[in-house]
Amino acid sequence: MKRILVTGGLGFIGSHTVVELQNSGFDVVIIDNLSNSSIKVLDNITSLTGIKPDFYQIDLRNKQDITHFFNTNKIDGIIHFAAFKAVGESVKKPLDYYENNIGSLVYLLQEMQHKNIDNFIFSSSCMAYGTPEKLPITEQTPSNKAASTYANTKQIGEEIIQESCDAYDLHAITLRYFNPIGAHKSAKIGELPNGVPQNLVPFVTQTAAGIREQLSVFGNDYPTEDGTAIRDYIHVVDLAKAHIIALQRLLNKQNKQNFELFNIGTGKGSSVLEIVKTFEKATNQKLNYKIVDRRPGDIAAIYADTTFANEELKWKAEKTLEEALKSAWEWQKNQ
Ligand code: UD1
């Protein structure tokens, strides 16, 4: 049984990936510092799969703790989620973001090199492309300057991994996610935003639940069909499954290069108003919303070309937008 380390394994995408790993027969060990997650998630994963993953509350900025972990654990592969991810905050606290997102990554790669551990999956973002010049985005689309410190940590992180793969003969896959939404169908795990949600779907579900009074739709004067901004929303369970496939590709030595990069999205763009309408239809809830000014820093549209992931990984997003929004609502009701 292969033992896989999942850093940030109690977070939104991490927890769904742990479940898929366990369902695929992997032995999972989680490292999480609980900075943006709850220890209850560990019990929820356990009740879902029937297997309690090993758990270490470690802060990956602490090199000694990481070294001790790897001295006492035999690991066959790593899926690295643990990172700060608030775009607005990242611009106000760049050094915190570089220390956490880049520092921890370097420590992990050093341990891999010292202990001869291979097979690294990196959690990246479509924001690593910067503002795209052409849509849809393929893996060949050149990356522009990152629009925030957060996005820059993903760009720089990928460069560090690529150089490490070349220098130390490591094998890594980076997955550039588009907009992950939804929750596990059991409604036992899902997205747990800290305070007022910044992302669209948690704000939508909290508004429907009466926790927020009204959803603000940020701008209806974009050059899109209905004037609201377009994103590629992917069900978190589809996204989690992409990690298992990428990991198996590395473990089975099917990768074609030491460092590979894939877009993980649906390939379909949806506008904010489409999200509102689809949510209302899928859940039978009326959503109180109003149009307000654009949110600074937002771009009009971004969505993936997923041909490479579809053909090379044999992975495809399977769940519909309705399913994703309905699952997010079931999760919200369960809170
Ligand atoms: C954000 C993050 C990105 C992350 C992604 C998924 C920013 C700038 N980027 O992307 O790093 O990978 O989430 O977690 O924060 N919207 C509203 N009203 C709201 C909230 C959002 O109209 O209350 C609109 C936004 O203007 C945008 C769309 O909904 O057009 C999606 O927003 P959001 O969920 O925050 O995702 P992104 O900004 O695309």
Side-chain angles (χ1 to χ4, degrees):
M1 208 183 200
K2 299 282 185 201
R3 187 161 162 86
I4 306 302
L5 167 64
V6 182
T7 74
L10 299 184
F12 174 41
I13 307 169
S15 58
H16 288 82
T17 302
V18 168
V19 168
E20 295 305 319
L21 280 169
Q22 291 186 319
N23 287 343
S24 306
F26 289 100
D27 175 23
V28 180
V29 50
I30 294 172
I31 288 182
D32 200 302
N33 69 355
L34 303 178
S35 66
N36 191 21
S37 59
S38 160
I39 190 67
K40 286 186 199 135
V41 176
L42 192 63
D43 294 333
N44 297 343
I45 291 171
T46 310
S47 85
L48 227 169
T49 62
I51 310 160
K52 185 163 191 162
D54 279 351
F55 171 68
Y56 290 80
Q57 185 174 347
I58 291 176
D59 191 314
L60 292 173
R61 284 167 290 195
N62 190 330
K63 192 171 168 58
Q64 272 185 334
D65 286 357
I66 303 176
T67 302
H68 182 257
F69 171 84
F70 282 102
N71 284 341
T72 49
N73 282 274
K74 192 194 156 294
I75 297 296
D76 298 299
I78 300 175
I79 306 183
H80 180 44
F81 293 105
F84 290 156
K85 60 168 191 175
V87 176
E89 182 188 65
S90 77
V91 182
K92 293 186 194 119
K93 299 177 174 174
L95 294 179
D96 291 0
Y97 272 66
Y98 289 121
E99 180 192 33
N100 192 43
N101 294 9
I102 301 298
S104 316
L105 173 66
V106 171
Y107 292 161
L108 280 176
L109 292 168
Q110 284 176 329
E111 289 300 326
M112 290 179 71
Q113 186 212 346
H114 295 153
K115 307 249 165 28
N116 283 321
I117 298 166
D118 201 3
N119 310 315
F120 191 77
I121 310 287
F122 184 57
S123 162
S124 189
S125 161
C126 64
M127 298 188 87
Y129 286 106
T131 304
E133 275 152 28
K134 219 176 112 214
L135 291 171
I137 298 188
T138 76
E139 288 78 357
Q140 270 66 52
T141 301
S143 291
N144 287 324
K145 187 175 163 36
S148 67
T149 302
Y150 162 74
N152 209 26
T153 67
K154 294 299 176 189
Q155 260 190 13
I156 296 170
E158 289 178 347
E159 284 171 16
I160 291 171
I161 297 165
Q162 181 156 26
E163 289 169 22
S164 304
C165 285
D166 290 343
Y168 312 121
D169 199 28
L170 296 173
H171 300 93
I173 293 179
T174 182
L175 302 179
R176 288 188 171 181
Y177 320 145
F178 284 68
N179 287 51
I181 61 165
H184 192 269
K185 62 177 187 295
S186 65
K188 287 186 177 179
I189 52 172
E191 192 169 3
L192 274 173
N194 238 341
V196 181
Q198 304 299 309
N199 293 124
L200 177 62
V201 172
F203 207 103
V204 164
T205 58
Q206 289 198 7
T207 306
I211 302 168
R212 312 281 156 207
E213 208 182 305
Q214 190 172 49
L215 168 75
S216 296
V217 172
F218 297 141
N220 68 347
D221 56 351
Y222 284 106
T224 62
E225 216 163 284
D226 64 21
T228 64
I230 288 175
R231 298 288 181 272
D232 183 340
Y233 296 92
I234 172 162
H235 196 303
V236 65
V237 173
D238 277 334
L239 175 57
K241 287 180 178 164
H243 292 77
I244 318 307
I245 292 172
L247 177 70
Q248 281 163 336
R249 178 179 174 91
L250 292 180
L251 291 169
N252 297 333
K253 309 214 176 301
Q254 291 162 326
N255 53 306
K256 299 206 170 130
Q257 286 169 326
N258 280 12
F259 175 86
E260 295 182 315
L261 184 155
F262 295 96
N263 285 342
I264 303 295
T266 66
K268 183 183 169 300
S270 307
S271 73
V272 178
L273 284 181
E274 258 180 277
I275 294 291
V276 169
K277 297 279 171 323
T278 309
F279 178 84
E280 289 185 331
K281 193 163 155 256
T283 64
N284 254 327
Q285 298 294 312
K286 192 95 198 88
L287 206 61
N288 182 20
Y289 73 90
K290 68 165 181 222
I291 309 287
V292 302
D293 286 347
R294 292 182 181 192
R295 180 170 69 179
D298 276 350
I299 58 174
I302 181 165
Y303 50 94
D305 181 325
T306 59
T307 310
F308 190 50
N310 299 159
E311 289 177 357
E312 196 59 39
L313 293 180
K314 310 267 180 297
W315 167 91
K316 204 172 183 351
E318 283 167 356
K319 296 182 184 297
T320 63
L321 186 61
E322 288 80 2
E323 274 176 278
L325 292 169
K326 196 161 187 318
S327 68
W329 176 235
E330 294 304 322
W331 161 250
Q332 178 66 54
K333 284 195 293 182
N334 214 15
Q335 297 312 295

